[in-house]
Amino acid sequence: SDNAHSNKMGLKGRAAEECQVGMESVLPRQHLTYQNIKVVMQFAYVTLFASTWPLAAFLALFNNILQRRADAHRITTTTRRPTPRQVQGIGILNDVLTFLAYTAVLTNALILGVTSSSLG
């Protein structure tokens, strides 16, 4: 009796899962590249101009917390789930982030040097 009950529940669960897959298949695909570019742009603004407005980092953190919830809602309700695939890293974005980090050190040093009254 228990085995028959679990088989019925398994069939119902499978039917519900197939229905969910069918519903998701008509949803638009996600554009993760665009999402990654937005994060890199935010990193660039925060790091390149950190010496001019340090509060930007805290606002970016607050934005990222809100964006995480919005993305979770978008992924679960309005777009298809991403197809899992194995990758080695974040690709060229790693080189872009490294370049931005080194450039940010130079930019902030120059901003502080030019605007500092004790140097001149």
Side-chain angles (χ1 to χ4, degrees):
S1 174
D2 288 335
N3 192 17
H5 179 68
S6 65
N7 283 340
K8 284 183 182 179
M9 294 304 290
L11 291 176
K12 286 181 183 179
R14 179 175 285 200
E17 183 177 309
E18 288 174 3
C19 180
Q20 180 70 24
V21 169
M23 289 174 18
E24 286 183 12
S25 67
V26 297
L27 294 173
R29 293 186 185 273
Q30 296 183 58
H31 298 287
L32 296 178
T33 303
Y34 176 70
Q35 297 296 324
N36 291 340
I37 289 172
K38 285 189 342 184
V39 171
V40 169
M41 284 177 49
Q42 184 185 60
F43 176 78
Y45 283 125
V46 168
T47 56
L48 289 172
F49 305 108
S51 61
T52 59
W53 199 45
L55 184 61
F58 293 109
L59 293 176
L61 175 64
F62 180 70
N63 175 63
N64 289 341
I65 291 169
L66 292 177
Q67 190 65 42
R68 183 175 170 190
R69 296 303 307 153
D71 287 345
H73 180 268
R74 180 182 47 80
I75 287 171
T76 58
T77 61
T78 62
T79 60
R80 293 185 201 177
R81 293 182 213 177
T83 305
R85 58 190 172 118
Q86 186 173 2
V87 296
Q88 293 292 355
I90 59 174
I92 193 144
L93 290 180
N94 188 42
D95 296 333
V96 172
L97 290 171
T98 301
F99 172 76
L100 286 171
Y102 285 119
T103 305
V105 171
L106 293 173
T107 302
N108 285 297
L110 288 172
I111 290 171
L112 290 174
V114 169
T115 60
S116 178
S117 62
S118 64
L119 293 177

